[in-house]
């Protein structure tokens, strides 16, 4: 299991366009990726769940990656977040 935190830097927060791209990125890996904000968790492969977090600029997301390719998935996910959020 790999865990890390990410602070959203995009002024618009986690809105529809990057959330859609995020779901596509997650589906490239077998590991389960979970995002959590303020005690509310969401499966990163489900767009509506991600949008339901209501993550805004400055909010911290707690990310958990579990599965057979968790190291590669976590690295790719960190890179995706840095590039898009």
């Amino acid at each position: 299991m790999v865990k890390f935190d990410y602070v959203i830097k995009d002024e618009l927060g986690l809105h529809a366009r990057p959330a859609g791209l995020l779901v596509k990125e997650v589906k490239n890996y077998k590991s389960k990726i979970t995002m959590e904000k303020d005690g509310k968790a969401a499966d990163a492969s489900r767009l509506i769940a991600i949008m339901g977090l209501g993550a805004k600029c400055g909010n911290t997301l707690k990310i958990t990656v579990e599965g057979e390719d968790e190291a590669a998935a976590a690295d790719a996910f960190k890179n995706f977040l840095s590039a898009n959020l």
Side-chain angles (χ1 to χ4, degrees):
M1 179 184 316
V2 178
K3 291 185 176 191
F4 64 93
D5 291 347
Y6 182 79
V7 177
I8 296 177
K9 296 169 185 72
D10 189 315
E11 292 178 5
L12 300 174
L14 183 52
H15 55 95
R17 183 191 54 80
L21 294 173
L22 186 147
V23 169
K24 286 181 183 178
E25 178 68 25
V26 167
K27 292 187 179 189
N28 291 325
Y29 299 93
K30 294 179 182 177
S31 294
K32 179 177 179 176
I33 301 176
T34 306
M35 303 170 67
E36 183 181 332
K37 179 188 148 283
D38 298 333
K40 185 175 181 182
D43 181 343
S45 67
R46 302 188 61 213
L47 180 63
I48 299 301
I50 294 169
M51 297 300 297
L53 293 175
K56 307 280 187 227
C57 183
N59 290 157
T60 299
L61 297 174
K62 294 183 183 299
I63 313 297
T64 304
V65 184
E66 282 186 274
E68 61 188 74
D69 58 355
E70 63 191 24
D75 286 342
F77 201 64
K78 283 179 193 176
N79 291 337
F80 175 87
L81 293 173
S82 295
N84 294 284
L85 290 172

